[in-house]
Amino acid sequence: MMSLSTAVTPVEEGADNTPVEPYFNLVDEPWIPVLRTDGSAGEASLLEVFEQAESIRQLHGELPTMRPAVLRILVVILARAVGLPRNPEDWEEKYDRGWAPVVEAVREYLSRHRDRFWLRHPHEPFFQVADLGPENGATKGLGAIVADFPTNVAAFTQRGPASLERMSPAEAARWLVHTQAYDTSGIKTPDRRDPRQQKGKVYPQGTAWLGKGEVLVVGYKTLMDALRLNCVAPDYAEVITGPADLPPWERTHPGPCAEFETPAQPEGFLQVYSWQARRVRLVFEDEDVTQVVLCYGDPLAEQSRQKFDPMMTWRYSKPQSAKFKADVFMPGIVDPSKDVWRSFAAWLPTRAQKAASDGPPPFLEPGVLRWVGALAAADKLPLEFMPDIGLYGVQYGPQSATFADLVDESLEVPPFLLDPEARDSARTVLDAIKDADTVAWYLGTFAVNLARSRGVDEAVTPRTEARERAYQEFGAAFSSWLKKLKANTEWTRARRAWQQKLRSETRALAQELADESGEEAYIGRMVDQENGAWMNVQIAEGYLYRGLQKTLTLAFKEDNDDHRR
């Protein structure tokens, strides 16, 4: 439900007190960086992105996280122009006459709403408030919205201060969209009319929406494919929408205060895709942007919002569930140290997740993947179809007040694994990931024992380094194994093959670790005087291989069967 906060019709004025003319319309002006299928790069307007979608490989930008931020805007435009599909058959019918009718529908839609896409406008600038400003009229430098130039995280910097003195409207538009998706938390200077202010400050309201967790983008060969695949059928993706699920350019332009009552209740997932978590005003000097006003907009709580964002991953939260006395799911935690294939467990069907849990499933299958799985099950995708699923996210610093790191990885996934009814196949993959995690733990312990055999007692670093090396080796093997899976695969045999690969990779890595430990480790030393415990390479290998036999039972069972025969 929307609040009754003031929606204003301000008039921004220039230095000579004349009304500012509308400038730089995102529908017509190139501002979205793209990489084309022929290898060339360029920029395109909103309309051109759709017109050229068949020849665009992917969206680009100053940071990888610009891709999901911009793509979600494009998906909203597509959904509003041609309508959301009702089911796989309707999805096929919408596109069976080719892409040209889609472009025509988008052209007509953008023409109707063109006046809401001006980057500078006296009354209704895109994703902004025209007269936004604090009581003292102060503005901030462009570093406030440029995420690759945080003020106190030098390691993340990709530009120098001089590059932030002026910015083209095209780049400013990109950072505007990114800010509404990923802005940091922290104390912010409020607009002069914001009732949330206390002594000239608004205290932390949390990051912008996409900063809450992991975001997935389903890709294939072209941007056209990505747009079609990520435009989900609500019933199949299990998300909420309705007649009032409108993007901001189809609603009354918001004023400087929160548009929605707290806690905000969006009308549907399209509204969340275009959520205005901030109130912003870009300050122009001639045709360039030189300053910015950045305030809090509409905060959005993340507890159990899975029906409002099918592109996010969702994990069960025991603490939040205890607090609310109901099963609560939260956005997936962004962990740059975790390889994408290990995150894959959170993408698989909820039914398979629940089968392996005594209580609630540890993860819920993201709606966009559930939808792609339904398309595959209905034979609406090419036989050779193998979606490339991108994983994006931002890791923030203390109090989420700065940017610290980001995630930008992808994994090709057989689409039958995403079918909501997939169980045996998905369970096999879940078990395979668990196998790898357990074996990596044993390798870490092996590295600790090697360190102890050399007289190194504080062996946290060897454990961590060994596990990281294991995950790197296992990741390449997992990706190769995953691509070979077919819907008619014999799943016990597939997992046996995986365990055999894990065993061979582990043996090779263990040998490398032992050789790197040197002669001293082969000789060993007494590590427990009281119990007379000795440790050397041979003893450490014994512990390791007993762990492997306990974990990789299918691999060793085949060896034992062959031996008996």
Side-chain angles (χ1 to χ4, degrees), residues 513-550:
L513 292 171
D515 291 344
E516 291 167 6
S517 296
E519 184 177 351
E520 188 179 8
Y522 278 90
I523 297 171
R525 67 181 59 235
M526 187 74 68
V527 294
D528 186 346
Q529 294 287 348
E530 182 177 347
N531 296 302
W534 189 270
M535 182 60 66
N536 61 19
V537 169
Q538 185 177 9
I539 295 171
E541 287 176 339
Y543 286 126
L544 172 63
Y545 292 134
R546 279 194 291 274
L548 294 183
Q549 286 179 321
K550 182 179 178 180

Side-chain angles (χ1 to χ4, degrees), residues 9 40 49 85 108 118 276 299 328 355 383 391 462 488 546 555:
T9 54
S40 63
V49 158
E108 192 277 331
W118 291 104
Q276 294 184 97
V328 173
L383 289 175
L391 173 65
N488 61 354
R546 279 194 291 274

Side-chain angles (χ1 to χ4, degrees), residues 77-156:
I77 291 171
L78 176 63
R80 295 297 299 160
V82 305
L84 291 167
R86 297 186 303 275
N87 51 49
E89 289 69 33
D90 185 44
W91 180 84
E92 185 178 49
E93 289 175 8
K94 285 184 181 296
Y95 304 112
D96 65 358
R97 292 186 295 127
W99 190 244
V102 174
V103 173
E104 190 55 41
V106 169
R107 182 180 291 112
E108 192 277 331
Y109 173 81
L110 289 176
S111 177
R112 276 190 283 125
H113 299 287
R114 184 175 181 276
D115 280 346
R116 297 296 297 275
F117 285 93
W118 291 104
L119 192 64
R120 185 181 71 189
H121 191 276
H123 308 301
E124 300 175 337
F126 178 77
F127 263 24
Q128 302 166 75
V129 174
D131 69 339
L132 190 73
E135 196 68 48
N136 62 7
T139 59
K140 295 182 179 296
L142 296 176
I145 63 170
V146 176
D148 68 349
F149 190 81
T151 55
N152 57 355
V153 187
F156 209 58

